[in-house]
Amino acid sequence: MTEQLPMLGGLEHLDSWGADWAGLRVVVAGIGASGFAAADTLIELGAKVAVVDGVDNEYNRERKQTLEIVGAVSVALGEEHVKALPTVDGEKPDLVIVSPGWRPTHPLLVEAREAGIPVWSEIELAWRVRDGRELAQPAEWLCVTGTNGKTTTVTMAAEMLRQDGFRAIAVGNVGTPVLDAIRDPQGFDVLVVELSSFQLHHTYSVSPLASTVLNIAEDHVDWHGGFEQYKADKAKIYERTKIAAIFNAEDPVTLTMVEDADVVEGCRGIGFTTKSPAVSMLGVVEDLLVDRAYIAERRTQAQELAQLSDLGERPAHHTVANALAAAALTRAAGINAEGVAAGLRAYDRGEHRIQTIAQANGITWVDDSKATNPHAAHAALAAYPTVVWIAGGLAKGVEYHELVQQHSHHLRAVVLIGTDTRALEEALSQHAPDVPVLRTQVGETGEPTEVTPELGEAVMNQAVQHALSVAQEGDTVLLAPASASMDQFASYAARGHAFAKAVTDALGNSTE
């Protein structure tokens, strides 16, 4: 498949908020968080907008109603509306903005490219209007991608910056659309932007202050058409980087990406490693995180940035690597060593938030009971290559199609808890039909059940036993329910504690 056919399509002049967007005919493909933000922004800019989404549900209908209230826009929901490229006001569109989940082979996108119509991600649009309505100075961008650890890294980096006095926010694939941050009336000094390979695929102009690919493993090859294409899309994050192109010294592919990137003149390659760092790297010496990249005396000295204990007791290897990557990004933005340490101490790891409970027989057990909705569960599911997912609870009327669709490729199995799992089961049946689904049978009558500690323990004991029956070496058993807890537990904390106890009881002395 040919890619990037017209790329910018003669729209290079649309490079600021103040450019002449009025009358531009734009199709926005997808009405999720990024598509909604893109449509809302384009309406404000004066463009003519048509939004299409293949899913017609209550959630999307509410978004449709909101967009129709704020401006002149047509919104069409349902599978029949995404089979071909729609017109805008009866004419061929000038531009398509595509949401991350849409494959490049989708007929609507193929038709656009064949017609010479540029297809942009919402990230491309955000970069072009980054100066915002009346911002005195556009925020600098620090960009992060990788197969694992993106959300942790951008969250850490944003906290480091805030601790050092910067107005900063983590945006992008982490949850908050970049366009929402750009339109914040107070503005930001720095945006720490998490970018998926899906977003990067249709992004062409971003020029970040610093960028990093945390790691690369085989992932999303079906979406991209192969591993080489997946790597190529990830590598796009380094293009046009201004200050620091940051690579993982323990993942040589990321160094190759930096070496091949067309960066701004003067940009440096900066490495990070969980071992002792060479010159122009950040790394670990004894129990210290140190910098041999951003100091004048780097050939002979290293500057202490933080202690390993600032990351908590016995931090995992990937946590240390993420912290070093975050430090490398923020040092490029000019923060001092004290800001790094303070940010790591302030970073909210919290109980029941992507918390490793145990490791045994090559299987990692992780408690993310705090993930009480699909959006919160996404970060945890995205962090691990193969997952036995313990999910379900009080659904609160949400739908799970997007979440399951995004993560079906790396689910080993799903263990369902909760009194009403119909919405989750529907999403699994539609988007992950080959993934085994195991159901607990405790207190799942659909009728109100008295919530007691004994009920919670029984639910989790059975869930853990199911997980043990299917988990393989290298898997992560992840409690990320994407639902509230009150049907079977007193709180999400009680749910997490019950999980931890069940894991400890089941593994006994076999934990690593």
Side-chain angles (χ1 to χ4, degrees), residues 465-482:
Q465 290 303 319
H466 280 326
L468 274 172
S469 72
V470 293
Q472 300 179 21
E473 184 175 353
D475 288 351
T476 297
V477 178
L478 173 66
L479 172 68

Side-chain angles (χ1 to χ4, degrees), residues 301-371:
Q301 298 182 31
Q303 181 173 7
E304 177 184 339
L305 298 177
Q307 300 181 14
L308 283 176
S309 59
D310 291 328
L311 287 164
E313 186 178 352
R314 297 175 62 188
H317 177 272
H318 65 269
T319 302
V320 177
N322 293 338
L324 289 162
L329 287 163
T330 55
R331 292 284 278 170
I335 79 166
N336 58 40
E338 291 76 13
V340 173
L344 293 178
R345 289 192 295 268
Y347 166 67
D348 180 18
R349 289 171 297 278
E351 278 193 317
H352 317 300
R353 186 179 185 277
I354 315 184
Q355 180 183 14
T356 299
I357 297 300
Q359 291 178 307
N361 305 316
I363 300 168
T364 302
W365 299 77
V366 175
D367 171 14
D368 194 34
S369 183
K370 198 170 184 177

Side-chain angles (χ1 to χ4, degrees), residues 200-266:
L200 285 163
H201 184 81
H202 291 109
T203 297
Y204 314 106
S205 305
V206 173
S207 182
L209 188 74
S211 59
T212 186
V213 178
L214 299 172
N215 43 60
I216 284 290
E218 191 163 313
D219 201 6
H220 304 305
V221 293
D222 54 345
W223 194 98
H224 292 274
F227 186 44
E228 292 305 312
Q229 293 93 323
Y230 171 67
K231 288 192 297 183
D233 281 331
K234 288 290 192 185
K236 289 174 70 175
I237 203 168
Y238 289 125
E239 297 297 316
R240 297 166 298 279
T241 298
K242 294 184 283 190
I243 297 296
I246 298 159
F247 62 92
N248 182 347
E250 296 169 35
D251 191 338
V253 175
T254 65
L255 173 58
T256 301
M257 291 176 173
V258 170
E259 292 172 338
D260 292 342
D262 185 10
V263 298
V264 172
E265 184 71 27

Side-chain angles (χ1 to χ4, degrees), residues 23 66 131 171 205 267 337 342 390 399 441 473 490 499 501:
T66 301
D131 51 336
V171 294
S205 305
C267 176
I390 301 177
E399 62 90 18
Q441 302 296 325
E473 184 175 353
F499 174 67
K501 183 178 186 302

